[in-house]
């Protein structure tokens, strides 16, 4: 099971149907900091993709939003916010909670079922060797999150890390290469849609 | 046929670099894990925590008139702040009247503006003719101004002006004007001063 699939508190059989990466994710280069994931469940099968995108628009440090559904018909979305390492962890956690609630209030998306997870950069990084993947010490926190998101799509994290490295590249060139590989991996997942059932 | 009547391999949304949609077939399934570190965010509890600013405090500044009109600065929880920028605050600017609520989101004000606002309101409450003696307090970054226009022995007329769109070449102004009691001004000034300390 993928790391995120294991830690997200979703029902057995939940499906991932959409992923959005914010431009901020490629702008943040720090390898340190925190990531705060909030899982918002929406009753009645409301469109979680649009709701998640709308809520994300009101968060200053959102780096990713992904959405899906559950067998019972509920839909859900998860938003990941980034905080730099200079923040006190508890303060950052509280601020991330408050930011989500503000965004939900502004968009009138129900806040009746919201849960949260907090990750340090180290915790995100540790998920990679646990999956047999290689060295991600130079990966930024957003890239670590995106990589784990890709693992959520049933991609092989070890292969992803290998393809994201390049012995001839360093610095910004390596970062750009890695982010392109992550982009390609997500696109490949989206392209595997087989078409609607007939009848 | 399943409820899958939408086919998108990618869709660009404003502000999102790329959105990947993968419909129901073959999507990964999640199992519920026993380790549930996920914490439920209780709206009430989170509200009690209050939106936190970079320097660790939440803030809401409100002038509320008996007519139901109000002007408020409501702190925006912001994870992007740098510790050296602790004199800048991200706030929502709210204008309320019985038939309208407008909120301009995420405007930046600095500490000196808030201090001037507190001092201004205190002086307004105590001076005989603050419309003549108390200067307009402006925050150009936020497109915000507080003007004292008239007074009586018991109340002060306040006008709040807000630029609706900070990016526009031609600035369109929004605002609200109301009469507020001098005691309410004192309360608001004290509240603001306490929140700044």
């Amino acid at each position: 099971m993928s790391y995120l699939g294991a830690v997200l508190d979703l029902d057995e059989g939940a499906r991932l149907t959409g992923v959005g990466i914010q431009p901020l994710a490629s702008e943040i280069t720090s390898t340190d900091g925190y990531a705060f994931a909030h899982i918002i469940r929406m009753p009645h099968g409301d469109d979680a993709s649009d709701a998640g995108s709308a809520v994300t628009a009101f968060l200053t440090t959102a780096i990713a939003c992904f959405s899906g559904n559950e067998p019972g018909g509920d839909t859900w979305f998860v938003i990941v916010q980034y905080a730099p390492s200079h923040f006190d962890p508890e303060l950052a956690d509280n601020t991330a909670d408050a930011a989500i609630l503000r965004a939900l209030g502004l968009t009138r998306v129900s806040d009746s079922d919201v849960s949260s997870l907090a990750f340090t950069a180290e915790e995100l990084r540790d998920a990679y060797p646990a999956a047999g993947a290689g060295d991600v010490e130079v990966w930024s926190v957003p890239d670590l999150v995106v990589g784990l998101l890709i693992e959520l799509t049933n991609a092989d994290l070890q292969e992803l890390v290998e393809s994201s490295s390049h012995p001839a590249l360093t610095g910004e060139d390596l970062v750009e290469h890695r982010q392109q590989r992550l982009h390609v991996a997500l696109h490949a997942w989206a392209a595997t849609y087989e078409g609607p059932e007939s009848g | 046929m399943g409820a899958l009547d939408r086919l998108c391999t990618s869709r660009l949304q404003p502000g999102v670099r790329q959105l990947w949609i993968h419909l129901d077939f073959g999507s990964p399934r999640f199992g519920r894990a026993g380790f549930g570190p996920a914490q439920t965010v209780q709206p009430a509890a989170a509200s009690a925590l209050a939106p936190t600013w970079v320097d660790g405090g939440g803030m809401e500044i409100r002038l509320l008139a008996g007519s139901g009109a109000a002007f408020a600065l409501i702190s925006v929880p912001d994870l992007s702040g740098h510790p050296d920028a602790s004199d800048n605050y991200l706030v929502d600017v709210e204008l309320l009247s019985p038939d309208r609520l407008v909120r301009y989101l995420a405007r930046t004000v600095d500490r000196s503006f808030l201090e001037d606002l507190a001092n201004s309101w205190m002086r307004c409450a105590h001076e005989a003719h603050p419309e003549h003696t108390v200067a307009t307090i402006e925050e150009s970054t936020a497109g915000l101004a507080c003007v004292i226009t008239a007074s009586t022995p018991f109340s002060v007329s306040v006008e709040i002006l807000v630029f609706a769109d900070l990016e526009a070449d031609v600035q369109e102004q929004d605002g609200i004007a109301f009469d507020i009691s001098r005691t309410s001004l004192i309360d608001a000034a004290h509240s603001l001063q306490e929140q700044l300390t």
Side-chain angles (χ1 to χ4, degrees), chain B residues 111-147:
Chain B
R111 186 183 180 87
S112 63
F113 167 74
L114 298 175
E115 290 171 342
D116 290 344
L117 213 54
N119 292 335
S120 166
W121 291 346
M122 194 62 79
R123 288 183 57 199
C124 285
H126 288 104
E127 295 181 12
H129 298 286
E131 65 271 24
H132 300 310
T133 59
V134 178
T136 296
I137 305 298
E138 293 181 55
E139 170 58 90
S140 57
T141 306
L144 190 57
C146 176
V147 188

Side-chain angles (χ1 to χ4, degrees), chain A residues 59 96-106 111 114, chain B residues 41-47:
Chain A
L59 296 167
D97 285 348
I100 277 287
L101 291 175
R102 171 179 177 270
L104 292 173
L106 287 170
D111 60 4
V114 182
Chain B
V41 177
Q42 299 292 343
S47 296

Side-chain angles (χ1 to χ4, degrees), chain A residues 191-196, chain B residues 7 22 25-26:
Chain A
T192 59
Y193 174 63
E194 296 174 354
Chain B
L7 167 60
H22 178 98
F25 301 101

Side-chain angles (χ1 to χ4, degrees), chain B residues 72-106:
Chain B
L73 297 176
I74 305 163
S75 64
V76 174
D78 182 19
L79 290 169
S80 64
H82 191 276
D84 291 341
S86 58
D87 284 346
N88 288 331
Y89 302 106
L90 208 57
V91 296
D92 293 339
V93 178
E94 186 175 281
L95 307 178
L96 172 68
S97 66
D99 62 350
R100 190 173 80 118
L101 172 64
V102 175
R103 191 184 282 189
Y104 294 96
L105 304 181

Side-chain angles (χ1 to χ4, degrees), chain B:
Chain B
M1 176 180 288
L4 303 173
D5 57 354
R6 179 177 63 175
L7 167 60
C8 303
T9 54
S10 67
R11 184 178 76 203
L12 286 174
Q13 289 187 339
V16 178
R17 186 177 68 200
Q18 193 77 24
L19 176 68
W20 291 270
I21 304 286
H22 178 98
L23 301 178
D24 220 49
F25 301 101
S27 297
R29 296 176 181 272
F30 307 140
R32 180 184 292 283
F35 45 82
Q39 299 175 336
T40 299
V41 177
Q42 299 292 343
S47 296
L49 289 172
T52 52
W53 290 16
V54 172
D55 62 357
M59 183 182 299
E60 180 167 327
I61 305 152
R62 186 172 291 272
L63 284 183
L64 179 62
S67 61
F71 159 67
L73 297 176
I74 305 163
S75 64
V76 174
D78 182 19
L79 290 169
S80 64
H82 191 276
D84 291 341
S86 58
D87 284 346
N88 288 331
Y89 302 106
L90 208 57
V91 296
D92 293 339
V93 178
E94 186 175 281
L95 307 178
L96 172 68
S97 66
D99 62 350
R100 190 173 80 118
L101 172 64
V102 175
R103 191 184 282 189
Y104 294 96
L105 304 181
R107 297 282 174 103
T108 301
V109 298
D110 68 28
R111 186 183 180 87
S112 63
F113 167 74
L114 298 175
E115 290 171 342
D116 290 344
L117 213 54
N119 292 335
S120 166
W121 291 346
M122 194 62 79
R123 288 183 57 199
C124 285
H126 288 104
E127 295 181 12
H129 298 286
E131 65 271 24
H132 300 310
T133 59
V134 178
T136 296
I137 305 298
E138 293 181 55
E139 170 58 90
S140 57
T141 306
L144 190 57
C146 176
V147 188
I148 309 304
T149 58
S151 65
T152 72
F154 306 103
S155 68
V156 175
S157 299
V158 176
E159 187 170 354
I160 304 295
L161 302 171
V162 184
F163 285 142
D165 183 351
L166 295 175
E167 306 293 323
D169 293 330
V170 178
Q171 287 294 343
E172 191 177 311
Q173 219 166 47
D174 192 358
I176 190 171
F178 51 86
D179 297 334
I180 187 167
S181 68
R182 290 177 182 256
T183 53
S184 291
L185 272 174
I186 292 172
D187 291 343
H190 277 147
S191 172
L192 178 47
Q193 286 167 342
E194 283 171 8
Q195 292 180 78
L196 285 174
T197 56

